[in-house]
Amino acid sequence: MNLDELNRVANAMVTPGKGILAADESTGTIKRRFDAIGVENTEDNRRDYRELLFRSTEAMRDCISGVILYDETIWQKARDGTPLVKLIEQTGAIPGIKVDEGTKPLPGCPNEVVTIGLDKLTERLPKYLEQGARFAKWRAVIDIGPGIPTHTAIHANAHALARYAALCQAAGIVPIVEPEVLMDGDNDIDRCYEVTQWMLKETFHELYYNRVALEGMVLKPNMAIAGKKSPKRAGVDEVAEKTVRLLKACVPAAVPGIAFLSGGQSDEEATAHLDAMNRIGNLPWKLTFSYGRALQAAPQKAWSGRPENVAAAQRAFTHRARMNGLATRGQWRADLERKAA
Ligand code: 13P
């Protein structure tokens, strides 16, 4: 393992002013996004849509440090024959790859899942490296509900994350470690805090026992936030303050950076939360974004599958990327949203 190189890439992924575009929706997930805008889920449409994002030169060059790709995309070529990976590299952003193979029900644990995909990972990683990927992503999914999560689910998922991370580092690829606690339930922010703390403690414990070098990884967590169905909303400052407190209690300073998932927050909420955390300042790691929905909802809507809307979609993407770029420095302001509108 070349730890200096892993550390260099990990630091580049969390460069202030920039963050990660999570464009790694599986074919099933992108179908849900396309259904919402009336676009047929074909290979060409998926290619055209992602090409539009990667050709948003200004956003990519100034605000995007890396792009997480789905397996199909890493092998795809743009309409003019240029590999999509090359388009990304030409903007200065780093290509990455989602390597988990989704979730399966966890036996004996009703309503809980475990992420799969370790079996052939050793053989797959060198092929992705050769194709240009310098980092990878693996997402564990923990749900909150009556009686869940169980320790079984927390442990099985943390262990798989750590096994994945160790295999990535051995292959010269920076692992994004994503232990996602869902924000879909009716729980309040404190319950989210408690479960996320449990999952993060277990994850770093497993990373240690699996000999993962913390300097060569990026953490992708959820924020401490109330569930979407909770009657008790938490304000921006409370989310920021509790998330920072939680991360300080769980994430060693050797980790170069933390890149949040958006998890179903509105575009502006995701930006405001990141901004408020960076305004707190004096943090041992960089805090940035690795957003899927919060970066792409606006361009998807603007595009709606029409070639004549490509420029508008690129403007929408550029705007969100800019707003989140400012948030990584604690320099975002709500009135910048209004001005753009
Ligand atoms: P969201 O930002 O839409 O939650 O997606 C990020 C991601 O990569 C989840 O795995």
Side-chain angles (χ1 to χ4, degrees):
M1 188 208 305
N2 181 344
L3 186 51
D4 285 345
E5 177 60 11
L6 292 174
N7 180 247
R8 191 192 64 75
V9 171
N11 275 307
M13 289 161 68
V14 297
T15 305
K18 296 186 179 188
I20 297 165
L21 166 62
D24 60 325
E25 299 86 357
S26 65
T27 305
T29 300
I30 199 80
K31 179 179 187 316
R32 290 204 299 280
R33 310 280 184 261
F34 279 8
D35 283 350
I37 53 169
V39 174
E40 202 190 336
N41 189 24
T42 63
E43 192 173 333
D44 280 356
N45 283 342
R46 293 193 291 273
R47 188 270 320 274
D48 286 350
Y49 169 62
R50 284 163 173 153
E51 178 173 350
L52 157 182
L53 295 176
F54 308 154
R55 283 196 194 273
S56 302
T57 314
E58 202 187 306
M60 293 289 295
R61 187 195 56 209
D62 298 340
C63 311
I64 301 297
S65 59
V67 182
I68 317 175
L69 301 170
Y70 184 59
D71 179 78
E72 174 184 86
T73 320
I74 201 170
W75 310 102
Q76 264 174 335
K77 290 190 166 72
R79 275 189 182 228
D80 70 0
T82 314
L84 292 182
V85 168
K86 280 277 160 313
L87 289 187
I88 295 168
E89 287 170 348
Q90 281 164 8
T91 68
I94 307 169
I97 180 81
K98 183 231 292 293
V99 300
D100 69 65
E101 295 176 332
T103 60
K104 290 279 185 220
L106 188 59
C109 297
N111 303 318
E112 293 192 291
V113 295
V114 65
T115 303
I116 62 160
L118 286 172
D119 282 359
K120 295 267 158 39
L121 194 51
T122 310
E123 288 80 55
R124 290 162 61 211
L125 288 171
K127 293 179 193 149
Y128 288 137
L129 185 72
E130 198 188 319
Q131 194 64 12
R134 292 294 171 266
F135 68 90
K137 178 192 117 172
W138 178 288
R139 172 176 176 255
V141 186
I142 299 295
D143 206 353
I144 302 180
I148 64 170
T150 60
H151 178 255
T152 312
I154 293 275
H155 179 72
N157 278 290
H159 181 74
L161 269 172
R163 291 265 292 118
Y164 138 83
L167 289 172
C168 283
Q169 290 191 335
I173 291 180
V174 171
I176 292 185
V177 172
E178 180 177 5
E180 174 171 7
V181 176
L182 296 176
M183 49 183 84
D184 299 334
D186 59 4
N187 58 279
D188 65 9
I189 185 172
D190 293 324
R191 175 89 174 115
C192 173
Y193 185 112
E194 197 175 73
V195 171
T196 305
Q197 173 166 258
W198 190 16
M199 184 58 191
L200 287 175
K201 290 282 182 198
E202 190 81 12
T203 299
F204 279 97
H205 184 86
E206 288 294 322
L207 289 169
Y208 171 69
Y209 282 119
N210 283 277
R211 307 182 181 200
V212 173
L214 300 184
E215 297 81 356
M217 63 163 272
V218 170
L219 180 70
K220 175 163 173 166
N222 53 285
M223 298 174 193
I225 196 165
K228 256 183 270 171
K229 297 187 209 120
S230 169
K232 216 169 115 197
R233 310 304 311 163
V236 171
D237 289 339
E238 186 180 359
V239 169
E241 185 266 316
K242 287 188 172 165
T243 303
V244 165
R245 182 144 54 91
L246 166 66
L247 293 171
K248 279 186 173 170
C250 299
V251 185
V255 174
I258 296 173
F260 292 100
L261 60 96
S262 60
Q265 301 175 53
S266 75
D267 298 356
E268 207 173 313
E269 265 174 351
T271 305
H273 289 151
L274 178 63
D275 182 68
M277 285 187 256
N278 278 309
R279 278 175 197 267
I280 291 172
N282 251 328
L283 305 170
W285 358 251
K286 304 285 188 315
L287 289 189
T288 186
F289 57 92
S290 176
Y291 293 161
R293 282 163 284 180
L295 277 172
Q296 296 189 62
Q300 279 164 6
K301 205 166 151 220
W303 177 56
S304 292
R306 298 210 162 87
E308 65 270 28
N309 291 343
V310 163
Q314 290 178 323
R315 279 196 301 277
F317 172 54
T318 303
H319 175 65
R320 287 270 41 94
R322 260 229 204 82
M323 294 298 104
N324 285 305
L326 287 170
T328 67
R329 301 184 191 273
Q331 293 173 356
W332 172 81
R333 292 190 328 261
D335 66 297
L336 297 172
E337 301 279 354
R338 315 284 173 259
K339 246 182 247 161

